[in-house]
Amino acid sequence: MTAHDEVVARLRAAGCVWAEEEAALLAEAATGEALARLVERRVAGEPLETVLGWVLVLGHRLSVTRGVFVPRRRTELLVRAAQERARLATGSRRPVVVEMCCGAGPVAALLEGYDVEVHAADVSPPALACAGANAPSAALHLGDLWDALPAGLAGRVDVVAANAPYVPTARIATMPAEARDHEPLEALDGGTDGVHLHRRLAAGAPVWLAPGGVLLVETSLEQLPLTHAAMEAAGLATDVLVDDEVQGCVAVGVAPGVSPAAGERG
């Protein structure tokens, strides 16, 4: 049995469904004793992405470390929605985009190169460190939701994108062990009905959004009615984006009025 075969066998015995592919990625990352240490971490249940140190989002490798929420493929819908809304907001002023509960900063990272003013906020210093590495042009803010943002952004934000936790507290115990045991609880637990943070995001949005600005919140089809109810209670017009291919669902809330950026386009 080759060394590669031994790694595959160990990963398979640990329950890794894609053992061959994972073994190849681990071998690409390290050799010898360093590879053995990576294999040990993966066999112990740590997410492959934090073992490797990166996660693939829309074809881009983003840094992700231990103690930071790993972006799922479904979040690609949120990223694409934020990119599209940022494009629509372009005009005589630079659009302002905020990634709330940013984690590793997939939205901010995939807006690198756009002519936008990007901000990323999170309660976790390790998450902000990842976001800073992935989105070096973004302004980073440590704090609890809207409290993290500088007052000068009030009424100026064209797009807020948030992958806030939406798993009901009682269901955390049923999540896969690599998430439950290796990712921060505050990035998973959405409260009793899963939308505690969604309500807080929606309630604060009217203060921070520009006229016609949009709040994009990743959610589940099950939690969607509650997320929309929170947006409606805040005076936002609601819509929904769904992508079955990536199993993504994004609740959309639009502030009244026409954004200055959109309104100034010829």
Side-chain angles (χ1 to χ4, degrees), residues 5-20 43:
D5 290 337
E6 290 179 1
V7 170
V8 171
R10 290 198 63 195
L11 293 173
R12 193 167 285 139
C16 299
V17 177
W18 308 106
E20 286 277 359
V43 167

Side-chain angles (χ1 to χ4, degrees), residues 152-230:
L153 287 181
R156 294 184 49 231
V157 182
D158 297 291
V159 182
V160 175
N163 182 13
Y166 51 90
V167 179
T169 302
R171 296 188 187 175
I172 298 295
T174 69
M175 294 184 71
E178 64 181 45
R180 187 180 68 239
D181 297 339
H182 294 275
E183 292 183 301
L185 182 62
E186 64 266 22
L188 304 174
D189 190 346
T192 303
D193 60 3
V195 296
H196 173 65
L197 268 70
H198 295 187
R199 290 192 183 93
R200 293 180 57 205
L201 283 166
V207 173
W208 296 91
L209 289 177
V214 63
L215 172 64
L216 305 170
V217 179
E218 181 176 314
T219 189
S220 66
L221 288 173
E222 183 178 354
Q223 267 68 46
L224 176 63
L226 297 175
T227 306
H228 268 172

